[in-house]
Amino acid sequence: MRNKIVAGNWKMNTLVNEGVELAKSLNDYFVSNKPPAGIKLVIGVPFTHIDACVREIDYTVISVAAQNCSQFDRGAYTGEVSPEMIKSLGAQYVIIGHSERRQLFGETDEVISQKVALAHKNALFPILCCGETLKERQSGDHFEIVRQQLTDSLKLTDQFNIIRTVIAYEPVWAIGTGKTASPEQAQEMHMFIRKVLSELYSQPIADKISILYGGSVKPENASEIFAQDDIDGGLIGGASLKSEDFINIYKAI
Ligand code: PEP
């Protein structure tokens, strides 16, 4: 019923030629091993790589995502990249509100809500990230933190657009640390996220939304994470930089 999605987040890694090689090797594999209907593959590449990667891959098999976008349409915003520009290059998704953007670049839920709305306006699918820090989990506030992030980040998103949105739950303490949430911890939060979505929208809508898990997913742990009822795939950082690992994570789904 819901799409399963395996999305890579290359972050600020690879030069264009290296990124193109990686995209090509994934494309070769997935063109000869077409994913079944309902399984989507996405690569989240640096802005500088979008054009070259889109040209190299079969968009019916792999989609390209940007890793961020501006909350502004166009104008005097030096250094910003608008959703319309991203769309014009042929990307289909955009990662929004990644914890690195929140922590290192001061992105707030207010700004994130504007980015999500502008991505929708430009027919991009946002991959909206949420997740608690270690301190928030240890103090037992993790559910409330995630509820607040979702409520505030989705405040400009209506019933029509929410089903064009992917949610990624990424506990900050599990990103790039090698520490993965246990499958039970992840499932518990994913079920909670679906409940929040059902309260914000409706149960039938919540049941249609793909919720991805992110945080040190590797070929070795992907199967048990993806086996959980409310986990519809993964947002993969480090392991998405090696085509073999990304392919093996896909196989786990
Ligand atoms: C990420 O950056 O979205 C991520 C999940 O990273 P990693 O898989 O390396 O923990």
Side-chain angles (χ1 to χ4, degrees):
M1 180 175 58
R2 312 185 267 274
N3 283 329
K4 302 260 184 207
I5 302 173
V6 181
N9 175 14
W10 294 1
K11 311 194 187 195
M12 199 173 71
N13 291 301
T14 72
L15 297 179
V16 180
N17 61 327
E18 297 161 338
V20 166
E21 280 313 306
L22 178 52
K24 264 191 197 165
S25 91
L26 293 172
N27 191 61
D28 288 349
Y29 177 82
F30 289 112
V31 164
S32 8
N33 299 275
K34 284 235 158 64
I39 301 192
K40 308 276 177 212
L41 295 158
V42 181
I43 50 174
V45 310
F47 288 133
T48 45
H49 300 25
I50 294 176
D51 185 42
C53 287
V54 165
R55 285 174 201 274
E56 285 304 331
I57 61 179
D58 175 347
Y59 73 93
T60 64
V61 174
I62 307 178
S63 303
V64 171
Q67 300 171 13
N68 180 29
C69 65
S70 177
Q71 70 269 42
F72 303 113
D73 241 332
R74 60 174 59 202
Y77 301 105
T78 303
E80 288 292 277
V81 178
S82 72
E84 191 179 11
M85 292 169 180
I86 293 166
K87 182 73 185 177
S88 74
L89 292 176
Q92 292 171 271
Y93 290 79
V94 55
I95 299 168
I96 297 179
H98 191 279
S99 62
E100 287 154 15
R101 303 249 15 122
R102 292 173 186 262
Q103 293 197 319
L104 303 172
F105 302 97
E107 278 191 19
T108 60
D109 288 322
E110 175 65 32
V111 164
I112 292 166
S113 71
Q114 294 164 11
K115 292 185 177 197
V116 170
L118 202 53
H120 283 136
K121 187 176 160 213
N122 288 283
L124 287 168
F125 297 105
I127 301 176
L128 170 62
C129 302
C130 60
E132 80 286 356
T133 61
L134 184 57
K135 204 166 149 218
E136 288 160 348
R137 178 159 283 260
Q138 283 169 340
S139 62
D141 294 335
H142 45 299
F143 290 114
E144 274 325 298
I145 292 289
V146 169
R147 178 198 291 281
Q148 201 59 51
Q149 287 174 340
L150 288 171
T151 307
D152 292 350
S153 304
L154 290 171
K155 70 176 185 189
L156 303 175
T157 298
D158 63 13
Q159 305 230 342
F160 174 78
N161 282 318
I162 189 64
I163 53 174
R164 291 164 179 77
T165 308
V166 177
I167 306 293
Y169 167 59
E170 299 206 308
V172 180
W173 47 273
I175 298 179
T177 58
K179 282 188 200 141
T180 321
S182 69
E184 295 74 28
Q185 280 174 321
Q187 165 59 20
E188 186 185 31
M189 183 58 90
H190 280 232
M191 204 167 77
F192 176 76
I193 290 172
R194 209 174 297 289
K195 178 169 162 278
V196 171
L197 294 171
S198 77
E199 289 162 6
L200 292 174
Y201 300 95
S202 70
Q203 191 64 50
I205 286 178
D207 287 339
K208 286 198 183 90
I209 299 173
S210 303
I211 307 175
L212 314 186
Y213 171 78
S216 299
V217 177
K218 300 182 272 292
E220 303 78 55
N221 60 20
S223 300
E224 53 173 2
I225 294 172
F226 295 163
Q228 305 299 313
D229 284 351
D230 287 287
I231 300 184
D232 306 308
L235 181 55
I236 321 296
S240 69
L241 290 167
K242 283 198 197 137
S243 61
E244 197 190 333
D245 284 355
F246 190 73
I247 290 165
N248 283 330
I249 290 172
Y250 155 77
K251 285 181 184 165
I253 217 160

